[in-house]
Amino acid sequence: HLVGRCVATSLRPPLSAPLAASLEPTSATTAARFSLAASGMRRLAAAALAAAALLRPASSECSKHIRFGTFDEANPYAALAPSQWLDDDEVCWVYYRQLSGGRAVAHLDSGELDVAMLGSTPYATAVARGAALTAVAVLHNKGTAQALVVRCALHGPQDLRGTTIATPRYSTTHYILLAALDEAGLDHVETAELPSAGAAAAADRVTVVTISPTEIEAAWSAGRIDGGAVWGNTLVNLTSADWGGSPPSGCQPEPAHEMITAEMLALWGYETLNVLAVRNAFLSRNEALVERLAAGIVRANADYRLASERGRWAAGPGGEYNSLVSAFVALEAPGYDSNVTLARVADRVAKFEYPTAEQQLEEQSYLAAQIEKQADFMFSQKVLASIPNASGTDVYATYFNASFLEAALAAGAASGFDSDGPRASPLAPLQQESVLTPCAGWAVEVVNASHAPVLAPHWPPPHAGGGGGAYRTDESCVWAVAVEEPTQCVELRLPFLSSEPPHDVLEVFSSSGLLISSFTGRASPPNATVRACANSTTLAGAAAVGTALTADRDLDVSLPEAGAFLAMFLRWSTDGHDEMQLGNYTAVGFRASVSLEGDASDCPSCGPHGVADSAGGSCGCRCDAGYAGSSCELETCNGVVTRSEAEGAVRATAVGRYDAYSRCGWLLTGGGAPFVALNLSSIRLELGFDEVRVYEGGVIPASFSAASTTSDDFLFSTFGSSPAATLAVRTPAFVAFTSDGVWSGSGFELAWSAQQAACETDADCSGRGSCRDGECRCDVGAYGPTCSFEKCVGLSTIEGAVAGMLQAIDDSQDDYLSSVACRWELAMPTTIESLDPPLSVTGLRLNFSLFELEEPQVTNPDLGIRSSTTDAVRVLDGNGTILDTFSSTSNANRPTMGEAIALDGPPPFTLRFDTDINNPRPYRGFRAFFLAATKEETLCHAEHFPCTDVEKPECRLFAGEAHGYCTAKSSPPTSALLPASLAATFAVLLLIGGLCCVVQRRRRRRLKGIIKEAEREFARWEPLPEEHRGATALRAQLTESILRVRSSLSFRGTDVGDSRPGSGNASPAARGVRSLPKRQRPRVVSAVGLPEERYHCFLSHVWSSGQDQARALKGQLQRYVQNIQPFLDVDNLDDTARLEEHVGNSEVVIVLLTGSTPARSCPSSPPGGARSDYFGSANCLRELHAAVARSKPLLLVLETDPTHGGVPLEVHRSACPAELRAKVFSAPLVTWHRLRPFQMCSMRLLIAELLRAWKAPGAERPIFLPGDLCRSPPPQLATKRTWHLCYSRDNEGAAELVARLERASEQQLRATADAEQMRSSAALLLYLDGATFGGAGLPDRSKDGAASEGLVRLVRRALDDGIPMVLVHEQRSVPEAVSFDEIIRRTPAELVSAGIYRPIATPLLDEPHAAVAVRLVLNNLDLICRRIERHNSGVIGSLTALAESLTRIDMDGDGEIGNSPTRSSEHAPGSAPKPRLKWRRRTPPEKVASCV
């Protein structure tokens, strides 16, 4: 009936070939179409096949084949495929059955498919990974069509603990399963390997196994899983077949039953659906075809909604559309029963929900929100390495193009099918492999002049359809290609290959088993050649490689006569999935030929991208960077390339992006050198999925060598956009690069050069280790062959260490790497020979002082997303047995800080730190101390492993070590105390006793003065406000008096002999102390009155560059502010999840702005590569957001030292998020300096701002801290010289500085610009900036040659005459400011060598710190004056004065004759003489300068 009806109707497309030609028998007409068990359906299929042979055009007539990825789900639009409704004369749609959404995404993004049906979860992961695809329609909502099904005795989620559940990775059922476990509060561990038979699952969690639907069905039948989250035919099969395991008590073997459906999860907010996704490159060129496809899907869904289970959608006779869906779903499913199939499929179609096109257009934002939620959830569950940085659903909305739905509505698709709907006959041809026989598995081909074999398993004969049978699934075929002479070469030509990547692949191996090339995929023909030459290796010698290549098949490797020499191996391998092309399919498989290609000494043609290279004994092509292949014809890397030259460079690709499914390796021998230096740069790989690994010492991973027997112990790995890496690697070095099918970057560049050693000096170890025996021994926290990494990567070997410390990252870092497997091999001796008697090592002891690994937590409160993690530290013994596992997943797995842990096992021990694919927040990793353990716990450590034996409580350290052995306490033998030593000891004790007596007498006299001062201070107590009365008031009054006395003591005790700038020690303490005005005495600052249960300030900082500032700031605040309670994370933070809570519990948030910057010439130079570390920290931004949201007062502290994280404020401002910028940078700003006097000024300003933020009483009153230079009057500057300072008018800026010094000294300072008066001056002032000795690049302050020469002559005279120099370095924000190194560079060499810079320069900073700099200059000048006084007042000074009086000659150059000044130098030219100042005991308060 159907065939006759089909012939009677108008055929679309029309018959274009002669009927006689169509009747020619072809493999397409004889291939099985659908495997239908019942005879009625089989007769229908036979009739359809006959019609297809007569009426369908051959695929060779299709000018375009469109590859469409589908699943075995029963939906209305499935009727379009077997009916070939979308085909026309030129376009053929071919449907490929996909195994899972993850595979479909990879095939779509890599160009293997043009269009695909994707579940919302695979689509969300594709969008998050930046795949080049677009969704054009929603196909359906999942409803009850997907479910978690389980065995008997499992009734609810609470029963799943301790079970193993399987699901395909990246699928919507993967999302459903993880969401159900998350909602039930169940922890899980995820693995891609099915547990071995009989293995018990973890009892406290759910084991999730991500395998294919085919593997799930097999595991269910074998009883190796307890259930599965599945769909389609797999769901039908699991609910139809009995579970193969041993049922628990009270159960019988029975099929799976539903526990949770997709519909239930949708009610909880986890809605799943399917979309129609199109590859962007295809969409841009074929919009009309995509429009037709979208219209067809809209029509099919609309037609089903309008006539559900009626007419053509009926489950019985006349249900033409339902029969098409049934045929599409079944294909070759075994046990297909036609009597119940139509009803069952109709029921499966009804399980889905089909939104209308209008609903889809109205709910685009809802769709984007659901896709975002699924991406965020899969990120938290460690399925994704990263998610789009931009927040909000707009990122996901851009991946949906609604214009095709609008066009479908405009074309009337919402009304369903008309008379041109799908027809059940003829059915589309089906390509499948079930009729084919397996390959031989192992074959040997000896190539000679008369035998050039063609290798093409199951290759169909050519015919009008151009198609044929598919290759077999789950197959492995190996060919050993040999030649008759040891110097002959063969060439493999591969004109055709089409397979499902990367699972079905053709690999070419060398005679030694090294992977030469691999070919997979169908996006484009490979058109490749592979050349390989034989050597002395016979087939018998290569038996091990042949056995390894066929190991998974357990084949008998037969060998021919001994006269053959092996040239290469070929292996064709497939997995267990058949894509079963439906439609006018094309050929699949491969066709290859092998022929002789000259001798090993003959150089091949290398084309424009390579040169011939005869290194290694045979001539081949050395390709340019980025090219590969025997003739350098490939534009991306492929297989393993051996490079024997001493230096060179390679790249992942010569074009913009590397290939999907790349598998490339480079074996670098370094020209025979023991080491090669590798420089990896321009790294741009997909984070978490594409990776570069570096191996050393001949280690080659198994995926690149069939002969590999080593474990995958890589030295280094990198991914993402990692910074450049420099490594010194032992040869032969191997660099491996692998990628998956989604998103390709530009790859990387690798340059290498031969070295005789990994290092020659300590400088080669990056300043973070020492060079020993040609290898770097890295400091703790440094990693890599040259200690250049601050986070652990790969393998670190610690030779011969009995004790030590390990940590995941350097202290300057705040987050360990994701997707790494760090290993520390503790190659400790098996016997401790330094003990008497020697003892064997029987175990390992650990003590953790830091353990901050990722822990499960809520990562998105708005979406209710809770993260999981597998980050863990494992300890293995010498047998590979895991002794213990530490993680943050539960308190039971988390080690106790400071508590020793004993682990028993034989050495050597290995610590493995494995991290999952991402870190939602920064974590600092771990820090652990280790110590070898002996049977009696003989070994000990002074701090971390004390002795516990009461009979041996003392830890006696080994020489030069921090560890030792436990021993009983003992006194030294009497014989050791020799008489001479005893006498010397008594002499030293007597001397010390005498000194102590002298010091004690002085301290006693001083104490009397303190008591008197305290009595005077107590007599001047001021009454406090009413709110500070009581016990607290008494404490405040006592504290104030004590602080006043303490400040005066510190002022008295200043060492006047300390000439270091910045010390603030040029006070007149040696001559007495003037009492300060009341307004300048130190004021007691207290946090009394603030809530004691809250933190008074929160120190927000980034660990990498602000840790030491935060620690110093906390200490200073606690020193100068009574009762203050600052929050500092290392002291007060117990859980990073509580950061926002601690911010809310603080009165003020102090923000320490630090960053990173390359070395710059001066503070005012352009920032260049400067960046803000603070605003680059996720935790710091969390703290800021919390502070702004809670309206907390902010105080900014800006680091100014570039070597400690100082970058310009504008760098921080530009890095600050826009929503925070106005609030943050309107807060008060205090600059932070390292020198003590300037730091005291910063502290005074900061405390004043704190008081204002606290709204404390009297907050506006000035504050003077103990030791603050601005609280003391200026020094007296007493000298017999005519002038205190001499300066030059050629020294631009000096006159301005002198004027300020005069004001600050209360007009005491006497200065002259007359060079002739320099010998009558106490010192020469030299103001240093970029224009001092020549202003190159400074047009506003440039000097002419004469002025510069005049200054140089003056300075040279001062150095020759021994005149002291006062140096002031300009560091304010002015164009003339340059670094001190630059000043030295511009200074004439003769002045530098003469010692111009022996005095330390005082930095002149911006206000308000400039006042401190001026005071430091005056203190320095006062020190010089007093030194001159001491010199003139001694015996030599008296004799010199007498000689001058007799001869009337100024002998000492002080401008005086005897004790009177010379007539010519009594006063400056043109000015009135100034009386010489005498020492004043006290300065009136009104003349004391106020410095705020």
Side-chain angles (χ1 to χ4, degrees):
H1 168 71
L2 292 176
V3 172
R5 179 177 177 180
C6 184
V7 172
T9 58
S10 61
L11 299 177
R12 184 184 48 81
L15 184 63
S16 59
L19 182 60
S22 301
L23 294 177
E24 290 294 326
T26 67
S27 61
T29 62
T30 58
R33 297 310 191 238
F34 300 99
S35 179
L36 308 177
S39 60
M41 295 298 293
R42 195 180 301 277
R43 285 194 298 272
L44 174 63
L49 299 183
L54 291 172
L55 304 175
R56 282 297 170 195
S59 63
S60 60
E61 298 175 358
C62 297
S63 61
K64 179 179 295 186
H65 285 81
I66 299 174
R67 296 166 297 212
F68 194 160
T70 63
F71 294 93
D72 59 3
E73 291 183 319
N75 308 114
Y77 46 81
L80 303 179
S83 66
Q84 294 181 280
W85 186 84
L86 294 171
D87 289 13
D88 59 24
D89 289 338
E90 297 181 352
V91 178
C92 294
W93 294 72
V94 184
Y95 304 88
Y96 293 77
R97 179 63 53 86
Q98 299 300 294
L99 195 60
S100 66
R103 280 197 182 189
V105 166
H107 294 345
L108 191 62
D109 190 55
S110 61
E112 303 295 326
L113 294 175
D114 302 311
V115 185
M117 301 174 181
L118 294 180
S120 53
T121 303
Y123 172 65
T125 60
V127 171
R129 294 177 62 182
L133 52 84
T134 300
V136 298
V138 174
L139 300 174
H140 58 251
N141 294 338
K142 293 300 183 182
T144 59
Q146 295 190 344
L148 169 61
V149 294
V150 294
R151 61 168 172 82
C152 64
L154 301 177
H155 306 290
Q158 70 278 1
D159 301 327
L160 294 178
R161 188 176 281 110
T163 63
T164 300
I165 308 296
T167 189
R169 189 168 175 80
Y170 303 120
S171 63
T172 48
T173 54
H174 192 189
Y175 174 66
I176 289 170
L177 173 60
L178 297 183
L181 298 179
D182 186 60
E183 286 292 325
L186 297 175
D187 291 330
H188 76 276
V189 59
E190 190 167 309
T191 176
E193 299 292 334
L194 191 67
S196 57
D204 60 339
R205 63 191 61 196
V206 180
T207 300
V208 176
V209 183
T210 54
I211 52 180
S212 70
T214 305
E215 293 170 319
I216 291 175
E217 294 183 27
W220 173 261
S221 299
R224 297 175 64 181
I225 58 175
D226 299 290
V230 290
W231 70 87
N233 291 341
T234 304
L235 177 62
V236 172
N237 294 336
L238 262 62
T239 53
S240 303
D242 290 345
W243 180 55
S246 300
S249 176
C251 281
Q252 297 295 327
E254 59 184 30
H257 64 273
E258 289 184 353
M259 176 182 286
I260 299 174
T261 66
E263 186 178 49
M264 297 179 188
L265 267 297
L267 297 176
W268 300 347
Y270 300 92
E271 187 165 358
T272 51
L273 45 89
N274 263 32
V275 299
L276 179 64
V278 185
R279 189 164 56 93
N280 288 346
F282 177 82
L283 179 62
S284 63
R285 298 190 300 266
N286 301 278
E287 291 188 358
L289 292 177
V290 176
E291 185 176 322
R292 182 177 181 184
L293 172 61
I297 291 175
V298 171
R299 285 184 185 277
N301 285 350
D303 201 78
Y304 175 79
R305 284 193 306 270
L306 295 173
S308 177
E309 300 183 10
R310 301 192 311 274
R312 294 181 180 180
W313 291 106
E320 185 176 6
Y321 291 169
N322 193 29
S323 67
L324 284 170
V325 175
S326 300
F328 173 79
V329 169
L331 291 188
E332 61 167 359
Y336 194 83
D337 189 348
S338 62
N339 295 325
V340 296
T341 293
L342 294 180
R344 181 182 295 174
V345 170
D347 179 65
R348 287 173 60 177
V349 175
K351 288 179 178 290
F352 294 93
E353 301 168 1
Y354 305 100
T356 66
E358 294 87 346
Q359 290 173 330
Q360 296 178 48
L361 293 174
E362 293 173 359
E363 298 181 355
Q364 292 184 61
S365 60
Y366 175 76
L367 170 65
Q370 285 298 317
I371 297 301
E372 179 191 20
K373 178 176 181 178
Q374 293 188 34
D376 287 352
F377 183 83
M378 300 308 275
F379 172 78
S380 71
Q381 301 301 308
K382 310 304 177 183
V383 179
L384 288 173
S386 61
I387 51 179
N389 294 328
S391 59
T393 58
D394 290 342
V395 175
Y396 299 88
T398 58
Y399 279 78
F400 188 85
N401 187 338
S403 63
F404 298 96
L405 288 175
E406 295 170 349
L409 289 177
S415 60
F417 289 120
D418 296 326
S419 58
D420 63 343
R423 293 293 181 264
S425 177
L427 296 178
L430 174 68
Q431 183 187 56
Q432 56 182 9
E433 52 85 23
S434 60
V435 299
L436 302 174
T437 57
C439 68
W442 169 260
V444 177
E445 297 284 353
V446 180
V447 183
N448 53 39
S450 60
H451 180 60
V454 174
L455 310 178
H458 320 312
W459 179 261
H463 59 84
Y471 52 78
R472 287 187 61 86
T473 60
D474 198 23
E475 188 172 51
S476 180
C477 309
V478 180
W479 293 269
V481 180
V483 293
E484 296 176 343
E485 299 295 334
T487 60
Q488 288 180 320
C489 300
V490 297
E491 183 177 72
L492 170 74
R493 296 181 182 276
L494 188 65
F496 175 82
L497 182 140
S498 178
S499 66
E500 183 192 10
H503 315 284
D504 305 340
V505 58
L506 176 66
E507 300 166 295
V508 185
F509 296 88
S510 68
S511 58
S512 61
L514 201 64
L515 178 70
I516 302 176
S517 294
S518 65
F519 303 97
T520 183
R522 54 176 167 259
S524 60
N527 194 24
T529 60
V530 180
R531 184 175 185 266
C533 298
N535 50 35
S536 58
T537 304
T538 63
L539 281 173
V545 177
T547 302
L549 289 171
T550 59
D552 58 337
R553 303 295 171 175
D554 194 21
L555 298 176
D556 180 19
V557 179
S558 60
L559 302 172
E561 63 276 6
F565 298 91
L566 186 69
M568 68 169 63
F569 288 101
L570 276 77
R571 180 171 66 183
W572 166 254
S573 54
T574 65
D575 69 350
H577 175 61
D578 182 8
E579 289 186 300
M580 295 181 290
Q581 294 185 59
L582 180 64
N584 285 292
Y585 53 81
T586 57
V588 294
F590 75 92
R591 186 181 183 89
S593 63
V594 184
S595 60
L596 286 177
E597 184 63 27
D599 195 79
S601 60
D602 298 333
C603 295
S605 173
C606 300
H609 304 299
V611 295
D613 183 10
S614 59
S618 62
C619 190
C621 290
R622 186 171 74 244
C623 300
D624 297 341
Y627 291 90
S630 296
S631 302
C632 305
E633 72 277 13
L634 304 178
E635 294 181 326
T636 57
C637 63
N638 188 307
V640 177
V641 177
T642 300
R643 300 293 294 265
S644 57
E645 60 266 37
E647 60 182 16
V650 295
R651 287 201 301 265
T653 176
V655 291
R657 293 182 179 274
Y658 52 82
D659 275 350
Y661 312 111
S662 291
R663 184 155 52 121
C664 312
W666 293 269
L667 185 62
L668 309 176
T669 63
F675 290 87
V676 288
L678 304 182
N679 184 9
L680 275 163
S681 61
S682 302
I683 302 172
R684 183 163 174 76
L685 312 173
E686 186 185 9
L687 180 65
F689 297 93
D690 303 342
E691 184 179 16
V692 173
R693 289 187 174 184
V694 177
Y695 304 79
E696 70 172 353
V699 175
I700 300 177
S703 59
F704 290 90
S705 175
S708 177
T709 58
T710 59
S711 60
D712 194 17
D713 285 336
F714 58 89
L715 182 70
F716 167 77
S717 67
T718 186
F719 38 77
S721 299
S722 305
T726 301
L727 307 168
V729 183
R730 192 181 302 276
T731 58
F734 189 80
V735 180
F737 168 54
T738 56
S739 70
D740 70 348
V742 180
W743 195 90
S744 296
S746 57
F748 62 93
E749 295 184 9
L750 168 69
W752 78 89
S753 59
Q755 289 187 176
Q756 295 303 313
C759 62
E760 296 180 356
T761 65
D762 291 351
D764 298 330
C765 300
S766 308
R768 300 168 58 82
S770 57
C771 184
R772 299 179 185 175
D773 300 326
E775 295 187 15
C776 289
R777 298 290 185 263
C778 299
D779 300 337
V780 175
Y783 311 93
T786 55
C787 309
S788 56
F789 305 111
E790 296 178 325
K791 301 181 181 182
C792 71
V793 286
L795 175 66
S796 301
T797 302
I798 303 177
E799 298 284 353
V802 176
M805 184 177 74
L806 308 173
Q807 63 185 71
I809 60 176
D810 186 71
D811 290 334
S812 64
Q813 303 298 305
D814 62 358
D815 191 17
Y816 56 78
L817 291 174
S818 57
S819 297
V820 297
C822 303
R823 303 177 303 287
W824 292 266
E825 289 190 358
L826 308 181
M828 59 180 56
T830 57
T831 303
I832 309 299
E833 299 291 344
S834 55
L835 295 176
D836 188 15
L839 293 177
S840 299
V841 175
T842 60
L844 184 70
R845 300 171 71 190
L846 293 175
N847 190 332
F848 289 89
S849 62
L850 171 68
F851 195 84
E852 189 180 298
L853 268 59
E854 184 186 356
E855 55 190 359
Q857 56 188 293
V858 176
T859 57
N860 192 327
D862 297 332
L863 300 178
I865 294 176
R866 179 173 174 265
S867 70
S868 66
T869 180
T870 58
D871 295 356
V873 177
R874 295 175 177 84
V875 185
L876 293 80
D877 64 12
N879 298 326
T881 304
I882 298 178
L883 302 180
D884 208 341
T885 300
F886 307 99
S887 67
S888 294
T889 55
S890 66
N891 290 331
N893 296 329
R894 185 183 290 109
T896 303
M897 298 300 97
E899 181 177 297
I901 302 169
L903 304 172
D904 295 330
F909 301 97
T910 301
L911 253 73
R912 288 186 61 96
F913 179 39
D914 299 292
T915 67
D916 53 37
I917 200 169
N918 64 56
N919 283 348
R921 296 175 183 171
Y923 296 91
R924 292 181 291 166
F926 71 92
R927 184 187 303 113
F929 300 89
F930 69 89
L931 178 69
T934 57
K935 186 175 181 180
E936 300 177 357
E937 292 192 6
T938 305
L939 297 179
C940 59
H941 189 279
E943 180 180 357
H944 305 291
F945 303 98
C947 298
T948 57
D949 190 346
V950 293
E951 296 181 359
K952 297 180 179 181
E954 182 179 339
C955 185
R956 184 167 298 176
L957 304 182
F958 295 121
E961 301 287 351
H963 66 280
Y965 60 95
C966 297
T967 182
K969 289 186 177 180
S970 59
S971 302
T974 307
S975 59
L977 300 177
L978 300 177
S981 302
L982 184 62
T985 301
F986 276 117
V988 172
L989 290 176
L990 287 174
L991 178 61
I992 294 174
L995 292 175
C996 289
C997 291
V998 173
V999 172
Q1000 185 65 20
R1001 290 181 62 186
R1002 296 185 64 180
R1003 290 184 63 187
R1004 190 172 299 168
R1005 288 198 299 268
R1006 188 176 178 189
L1007 183 60
K1008 291 180 180 179
I1010 292 173
I1011 294 173
K1012 290 181 180 179
E1013 184 72 20
E1015 290 175 351
R1016 288 193 294 269
E1017 291 294 338
F1018 276 98
R1020 289 197 293 269
W1021 280 5
E1022 298 174 1
L1024 291 177
E1026 290 294 333
E1027 61 268 19
H1028 286 183
R1029 295 295 176 89
T1032 303
L1034 177 60
R1035 181 169 56 186
Q1037 291 280 21
L1038 289 173
T1039 303
E1040 181 174 2
S1041 298
I1042 293 171
L1043 276 178
R1044 287 175 176 173
V1045 174
R1046 181 187 299 168
S1047 66
S1048 64
L1049 294 178
S1050 64
F1051 197 76
R1052 280 201 186 102
T1054 303
D1055 181 11
V1056 297
D1058 189 355
S1059 62
R1060 293 171 298 174
S1063 62
N1065 293 341
S1067 66
R1071 300 188 292 268
V1073 178
R1074 294 173 290 170
S1075 61
L1076 296 173
K1078 183 176 178 179
R1079 62 187 177 89
Q1080 287 187 288
R1081 294 173 186 162
R1083 172 183 164 201
V1084 175
V1085 180
S1086 175
V1088 172
L1090 295 177
E1092 295 184 0
E1093 68 278 3
R1094 295 169 61 86
Y1095 293 108
H1096 300 146
C1097 60
F1098 184 101
L1099 299 177
S1100 177
H1101 67 288
V1102 61
W1103 269 59
S1104 59
S1105 54
Q1107 189 176 9
D1108 66 327
Q1109 296 93 321
R1111 172 62 67 188
L1113 187 55
K1114 178 177 179 178
Q1116 298 279 43
L1117 287 172
Q1118 290 177 326
R1119 179 177 181 182
Y1120 297 118
V1121 182
Q1122 297 295 307
N1123 305 315
I1124 192 171
Q1125 298 180 33
F1127 176 91
L1128 185 61
D1129 53 3
V1130 295
D1131 298 333
N1132 307 106
L1133 182 61
D1134 53 354
D1135 186 353
T1136 55
R1138 299 181 60 196
L1139 271 178
E1140 289 83 357
E1141 176 185 340
H1142 290 309
V1143 171
N1145 197 35
S1146 303
E1147 298 292 334
V1148 181
V1149 175
I1150 299 178
V1151 177
L1152 274 69
L1153 298 176
T1154 56
S1156 303
T1157 181
R1160 293 185 286 129
S1161 60
C1162 70
S1164 60
S1165 62
R1171 67 175 185 271
S1172 173
D1173 290 347
Y1174 181 86
F1175 288 106
S1177 168
N1179 280 341
C1180 291
L1181 291 179
R1182 286 175 56 200
E1183 294 164 0
L1184 269 187
H1185 277 288
V1188 171
R1190 293 165 173 80
S1191 300
K1192 295 294 179 181
L1194 299 179
L1195 297 181
L1196 306 184
V1197 177
L1198 177 66
E1199 173 63 65
T1200 58
D1201 189 345
T1203 63
H1204 291 82
V1207 298
L1209 183 63
E1210 286 305 316
V1211 174
H1212 294 291
R1213 192 190 307 273
S1214 60
C1216 179
E1219 67 272 15
L1220 296 175
R1221 192 172 297 146
K1223 177 66 176 177
V1224 171
F1225 289 95
S1226 63
L1229 175 68
V1230 176
T1231 55
W1232 183 259
H1233 298 274
R1234 297 269 160 177
L1235 291 178
R1236 177 72 174 174
F1238 298 109
Q1239 194 174 99
M1240 290 305 303
C1241 180
S1242 298
M1243 284 304 303
R1244 169 166 47 81
L1245 298 172
L1246 180 63
I1247 293 174
E1249 295 296 343
L1250 269 177
L1251 292 177
R1252 295 187 186 97
W1254 290 339
K1255 299 179 181 179
E1260 300 305 322
R1261 291 170 51 197
I1263 296 173
F1264 297 92
L1265 303 179
D1268 189 351
L1269 288 181
C1270 294
R1271 59 175 284 270
S1272 61
Q1276 291 300 308
L1277 304 180
T1279 180
K1280 295 181 180 180
R1281 299 289 176 96
T1282 305
W1283 312 101
H1284 292 103
L1285 280 179
C1286 177
Y1287 67 95
S1288 172
R1289 300 191 188 277
D1290 295 332
N1291 187 194
E1292 296 186 28
E1296 176 187 350
L1297 178 60
V1298 166
R1300 179 156 187 173
L1301 290 171
E1302 289 177 343
R1303 292 193 298 271
S1305 67
E1306 300 176 354
Q1307 305 304 321
Q1308 298 181 62
L1309 181 70
R1310 305 189 301 277
T1312 178
D1314 186 359
E1316 299 302 324
Q1317 299 295 320
M1318 182 172 61
R1319 296 194 64 188
S1320 301
S1321 305
L1324 173 66
L1325 175 67
L1326 188 58
Y1327 171 79
L1328 301 172
D1329 64 4
T1332 300
F1333 294 107
L1338 299 170
D1340 296 336
R1341 290 285 305 276
S1342 62
K1343 287 182 174 294
D1344 56 28
S1348 180
E1349 285 299 321
L1351 180 60
V1352 170
R1353 286 195 300 270
L1354 180 66
V1355 173
R1356 187 185 298 113
R1357 279 181 50 199
L1359 292 173
D1360 293 342
D1361 294 343
I1363 303 298
M1365 300 185 67
V1366 176
L1367 307 182
V1368 179
H1369 178 204
E1370 178 63 82
Q1371 292 188 15
R1372 292 176 294 183
S1373 301
V1374 294
E1376 298 82 9
V1378 295
S1379 68
F1380 207 83
D1381 290 339
E1382 179 64 18
I1383 290 176
I1384 295 176
R1385 190 185 68 81
R1386 298 184 184 186
T1387 305
E1390 57 177 324
L1391 298 184
V1392 176
S1393 59
I1396 182 177
Y1397 295 123
R1398 286 194 187 118
I1400 300 178
T1402 301
L1404 182 59
L1405 305 178
D1406 288 312
E1407 298 293 349
H1409 296 82
V1412 179
V1414 170
R1415 180 58 56 86
L1416 288 174
V1417 173
L1418 291 176
N1419 289 350
N1420 192 14
L1421 183 59
D1422 179 60
L1423 178 63
I1424 294 173
C1425 292
R1426 286 187 283 108
R1427 283 177 177 168
I1428 295 174
E1429 270 193 51
R1430 287 198 301 270
H1431 173 75
N1432 289 339
S1433 61
V1435 175
I1436 299 299
S1438 301
L1439 293 176
T1440 302
L1442 178 61
E1444 287 180 347
S1445 301
L1446 295 174
T1447 61
R1448 307 306 295 171
I1449 298 174
D1450 182 9
M1451 295 183 174
D1452 55 6
D1454 61 356
E1456 299 178 353
I1457 299 297
N1459 288 328
S1460 302
T1462 57
R1463 187 176 304 275
S1464 61
S1465 58
E1466 289 184 355
H1467 56 84
S1471 62
K1474 294 184 179 179
R1476 192 180 342 164
L1477 296 179
K1478 296 182 179 179
W1479 172 250
R1480 294 178 295 172
R1481 186 66 178 174
R1482 179 180 178 85
T1483 302
E1486 60 272 9
K1487 290 190 177 182
V1488 177
S1490 176
C1491 179
V1492 180

